[in-house]
Amino acid sequence: MNGTQRFSDEELVAFLDGQAEPESARAIERALATDADLAARLNGLHIDMAGIREAFDGLLPLAPAFDEKVEGLLPPAGGRKRLPMAVAATALMCLMAGAGAGWFAGTRQDEGWQSFAATYHSLYVNDTLASVHQPDAEIAADLARSSKALGREIGEGAIRRVAGLDFRRAQILGFGDQPLIQLAFLSNAGAPVALCITRAGPASRSGIEMKRLRGMSAASWIKGDYEYLLIGGHDDGLIERAAATFAESL
Amino acid sequence: MAWRRSAESEVRHGLKAVFARLWRYCLVLTGSRDRADDLAQLVCVRALEKAAHFTPGSHLDRWLFRMAQRVWFNELRSDAVRRGGGLASVDDVDLPDHGADPEASLMAREVLREVLTLPEAQRFAVALVYVEGYSYKEAAEILDIPIGTVMSRLAAARTRIAGRFEHERRGLG
């Protein structure tokens, strides 16, 4: 029997890697003394280990600087999480999709809740809401729960006042230790739009400010101890008009 | 509580030392620098949240590599495939330029390309054993597969690239 047939490729690789069982290693060494085919097989499995390691070591300097890019994102020692992981994970999934590559790396936590809400909303597509048709009783119950979490009334009449935005559902999210209510709409053009509401900091007031967040039309304002962000699609006119209506009705 | 504080402190203070290697493995996992940036950062955040599960005094690097593996496969990979139209994107890895020695630079790029274009299961095994220097047993624990599977993946990888390496070496020499 030809000796080379006695050893599998796995055994030979383990031998080359110095990780073979002692008995197997001794058997291979003994066979090598007389079996030229075995030596050829071993030679055929040889790779330049030092070359691989050296080439990959050349990648290490390309890693982002930990101090600049990571440390600021970490939760404080013994402290709370700074953003709900569900939001962080969905935000990251968006980034992994390449839609916002590099954004996570460059974001600092003091950029505030609107950045995260915008990232969360950027995952919405028409299909996210197109099939959502809740019965009236469920809508009323969701709005009641959202109102309770937020500490202020969110009336169904007030949120159905904008022509061109069809209300679909209310969700209770959170940012840090504050509730964040998301009211989701579909525009007549089929774009998902969200009105996000959370508590404002002390003594904050501001009128409607139009902006663009993650490529979407957005408007934010502060009124009555609450901050509002209306975001979605690319129709600045719709967002501006809707923001004016919500700012008055809510 | 003391255990938890100790574990968290060890994870927090150990992250920086491991981070570049963790990022490099994330690059092998994801096949792109942007995704590697994001995955490595998420693993750091997740590691601190899960620090209570880390055993102080054990190997933080292996724990982080295993976490990166799980986060990538359980949470992110399918979405990346769905949206990105596949993962065969290592070609867009901006490989480093070794500058002063063009021949060494070319060789390093060829080696990286050869390894990074292996089928992913083989690529992970090669990275853990031949780049990171883990034993078969340690690599098996990180990948959550039997040792025998690690060995077969390494054998397949060696068979595939051995000839190419030798060819390149001779061609450049």
Side-chain angles (χ1 to χ4, degrees), chain B residues 4-19:
Chain B
R4 181 173 299 179
R5 274 199 302 275
S6 169
E8 182 184 333
S9 173
E10 200 166 317
V11 171
R12 184 176 294 279
H13 292 105
L15 280 175
K16 185 175 179 178
V18 182
F19 183 74

Side-chain angles (χ1 to χ4, degrees), chain A residues 64-66 68-75 82-111 115-116 119-120 175 214, chain B residues 19 33-46 49 71 76:
Chain A
F66 184 85
E68 293 172 18
K69 299 294 185 185
V70 184
E71 207 156 33
L73 296 170
L74 300 179
R82 294 189 182 183
L83 70 163
M85 261 336 276
V87 173
T90 47
L92 192 74
M93 284 171 71
C94 176
L95 301 171
M96 301 301 282
W103 172 84
F104 196 82
T107 299
R108 297 185 58 82
Q109 286 167 339
D110 55 13
E111 284 186 26
S115 291
F116 290 103
T119 301
Y120 181 69
F175 185 79
R214 294 189 55 70
Chain B
F19 183 74
R33 285 181 69 173
D34 286 335
R35 286 173 178 165
D37 290 357
D38 295 336
L39 178 58
Q41 288 164 0
L42 180 61
V43 169
C44 289
V45 173
R46 193 67 58 85
E49 291 178 349
V71 169
L76 303 171

Side-chain angles (χ1 to χ4, degrees), chain B residues 114-134:
Chain B
E114 202 62 45
V115 174
L116 291 174
T117 52
L118 286 169
E120 63 177 14
Q122 297 174 26
R123 191 167 84 222
F124 306 155
V126 167
L128 291 174
V129 176
Y130 297 150
V131 176
E132 300 299 337
Y134 292 119

